């Protein structure tokens, strides 16, 4: 698969590193408006994981300041969109019109309506959305055990994702540019919940808000009763705390008929971390901590890109890349937006 990246920021850099490790995908070009980055100087890039940017070798690559220039290159099969979120919808639409395959970083768009319209326009598996959690070992394990039902049906789940003040993201609380904590941050867990439990029939959320945008939230998702199963008990929490002391934390506890699976990770401003590795608490009292392989987060992006390459070679759509699930995740986030009865402004 020959691919080109559009947008050279932190995620563009991480995707670049993943292409260097992939055996099935080749990065043949990129587009950025920054002249220094066009010349291969990516040393200004920094993020919350992975190495800082470097000077890269651009020899033989199609380098441009304009995405349309890449769209006219017939040798490029897939456009990898790593632009700011408010530019995703228009970029996806242009790529589909040009007949390219698309891998777009989350969130797919900033609202579910435009996301579902793009799903309707995409044919032949040409649109894929990069929700990375199901490719990370700790979360891939959870998705795998839910799919093969080795511990029975999923009956309950609790998820959390919290960050310190996101000062590195301009316009973070702008619903029209980034989307705030629900659309930019919690969409990860909404997507995972969608894969594990399906779409909820209702949602009840309590918020703290910054203006009209939720900054902290606790949500209970409601599922309809069926003749075969009692509805699962599912909740999700997180947002932004008013201190940089805890830069990031996420985790889950999911119960199945015969076991409960738990994982937590937190990173602090003093460069220390806390981890509860994936732990399986079996119904018979056994405790198991499986070996899950590489802990390098870039490797998850390699797996994501390789899954996209498999689609281009005629393979099935990977469930984690399915744009319908990505649109559903946005809808779950929208269902958590505040009402007068559940929002606390401050």
């Amino acid at each position: 698969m020959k691919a080109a990246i559009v947008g050279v920021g932190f995620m563009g850099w991480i995707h670049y590193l993943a292409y260097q490790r992939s055996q099935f995908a080749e990065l043949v070009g990129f587009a950025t408006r920054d002249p220094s980055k066009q010349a291969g100087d990516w040393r200004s890039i920094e993020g919350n994981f992975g190495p800082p940017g470097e000077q890269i070798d651009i020899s033989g690559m199609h380098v441009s300041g304009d995405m349309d220039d890449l769209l006219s290159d017939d040798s490029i099969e897939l456009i990898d969109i790593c632009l700011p979120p408010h530019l995703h919808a228009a970029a996806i639409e242009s790529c589909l019109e040009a007949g390219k395959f698309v891998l777009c970083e989350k969130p797919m768009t900033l609202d579910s309506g435009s996301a579902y319209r793009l799903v309707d326009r995409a044919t032949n598996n040409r649109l894929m959305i990069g929700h990375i959690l199901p490719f990370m070992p700790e979360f891939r394990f959870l998705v795998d055990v839910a799919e093969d039902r080795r511990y029975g049906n999923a009956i309950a789940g609790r998820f959390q994702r919290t960050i310190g003040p996101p000062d590195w993201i301009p316009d973070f609380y702008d619903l029209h540019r980034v989307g705030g904590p629900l659309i930019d941050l919690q969409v990860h867990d909404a997507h995972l919940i969608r894969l594990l439990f399906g779409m909820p029939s209702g949602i009840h959320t309590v918020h703290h808000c910054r203006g009209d945008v939720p900054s902290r939230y606790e949500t209970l998702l409601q599922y309809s009763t069926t003749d075969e199963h009692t509805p699962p008990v599912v909740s999700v929490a997180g947002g932004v705390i008013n201190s940089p002391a805890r830069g990031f934390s996420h985790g889950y506890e999911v119960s199945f008929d015969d076991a409960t699976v738990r994982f937590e990770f937190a990173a602090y401003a003093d460069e220390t971390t806390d981890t509860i590795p994936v732990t399986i608490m079996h119904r018979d009292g056994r405790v198991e901590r499986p070996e899950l392989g590489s802990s390098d987060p870039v490797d998850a992006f390699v797996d994501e890109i390789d899954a996209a390459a498999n689609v281009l070679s005629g393979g099935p759509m990977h469930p984690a890349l399915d744009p319908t699930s990505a649109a559903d995740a946005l809808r779950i986030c929208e269902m958590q937006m505040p009402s007068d009865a559940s929002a606390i402004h401050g």
Side-chain angles (χ1 to χ4, degrees):
M1 178 182 80
K2 295 184 182 299
I5 291 173
V6 176
V8 179
F10 172 57
M11 290 315 306
W13 166 240
I14 296 298
H15 282 226
Y16 170 86
L17 294 174
Y19 281 106
Q20 307 315 300
R21 300 183 192 181
S22 173
Q23 299 181 19
F24 305 102
E26 178 186 3
L27 186 67
V28 298
F30 63 90
T32 175
R33 292 180 297 180
D34 187 320
S36 62
K37 291 177 180 176
Q38 290 178 21
D41 185 357
W42 294 15
R43 290 174 293 180
S44 63
I45 300 174
E46 291 185 275
N48 57 356
F49 66 88
E54 302 172 359
Q55 180 76 37
I56 70 166
D57 181 6
I58 64 171
S59 58
M61 298 183 73
H62 185 156
V63 179
S64 178
D66 182 32
M67 183 181 75
D68 289 343
D69 189 32
L70 299 179
L71 296 180
S72 65
D73 186 337
D74 292 337
S75 71
I76 295 173
E77 300 171 279
L78 177 138
I79 300 295
D80 187 335
I81 298 173
C82 296
L83 293 165
H86 70 286
L87 300 176
H88 285 182
I92 291 171
E93 188 169 4
S94 295
C95 292
L96 294 176
E97 287 178 354
K100 301 294 187 183
F101 283 86
V102 183
L103 174 62
C104 180
E105 261 295 323
K106 71 82 200 165
M108 180 178 176
T109 64
L110 291 178
D111 68 278
S112 64
S114 60
Y116 287 124
R117 286 191 291 272
L118 288 170
V119 170
D120 290 340
R121 292 198 57 184
T123 58
N124 300 319
N125 285 344
R126 288 193 173 272
L127 176 57
M128 295 166 278
I129 308 302
H131 277 276
I132 195 61
L133 282 193
F135 295 98
M136 298 176 68
E138 299 85 358
F139 294 89
R140 184 177 62 234
F141 178 83
L142 182 63
V143 173
D144 287 347
V145 299
E147 182 177 357
D148 66 26
R149 299 193 176 186
R150 72 188 72 171
Y151 306 132
N153 296 307
I155 59 175
R158 183 169 65 244
F159 304 83
Q160 71 89 10
R161 183 169 307 273
T162 305
I163 59 173
D167 299 331
W168 69 93
I169 305 177
D171 304 316
F172 181 73
Y173 287 96
D174 188 332
L175 293 177
H176 302 290
R177 297 184 67 82
V178 176
L182 282 173
I183 300 298
D184 189 72
L185 184 68
Q186 204 251 84
V187 72
H188 284 293
D189 301 289
H191 182 257
L192 187 65
I193 289 168
R194 169 65 180 84
L195 294 182
L196 295 173
F197 297 98
M199 285 295 287
S201 57
I203 277 179
H204 176 71
T205 303
V206 177
H207 316 78
H208 285 172
C209 286
R210 176 167 167 166
D212 294 328
V213 181
S215 58
R216 288 280 299 173
Y217 36 81
E218 297 275 345
T219 295
L220 179 65
L221 295 87
Q222 299 167 331
Y223 286 85
S224 299
T225 302
T226 68
D227 293 337
E228 296 181 5
H229 304 292
T230 301
V233 177
V234 182
S235 64
V236 60
V240 180
I241 63 170
N242 294 323
S243 170
R246 181 174 61 179
F248 174 74
S249 64
H250 67 174
Y252 62 78
E253 183 169 311
V254 177
S255 293
F256 300 85
D257 292 324
D258 297 319
T260 292
V261 184
R262 185 183 183 194
F263 164 74
E264 290 185 22
F265 171 82
Y268 302 100
D270 62 0
E271 300 186 354
T272 61
T273 61
D274 284 332
T275 301
I276 298 175
V278 171
T279 302
I280 308 164
M281 295 164 278
H282 292 274
R283 188 173 183 176
D284 63 10
R286 290 179 297 118
V287 176
E288 181 183 358
R289 297 180 178 88
E291 292 292 333
L292 298 178
S294 172
S295 61
D296 184 342
V298 176
D299 285 341
F301 288 88
V302 177
D303 290 343
E304 179 184 83
I305 287 168
D306 287 349
N310 184 60
V311 172
L312 265 70
S313 67
M317 174 66 73
H318 192 291
L321 299 178
D322 188 331
T324 300
S325 295
D328 287 346
L330 284 167
R331 181 63 192 134
I332 291 173
C333 291
E334 289 172 345
M335 292 169 71
Q336 297 174 74
M337 290 296 181
S339 65
D340 290 341
S342 62
I344 302 173
H345 295 263

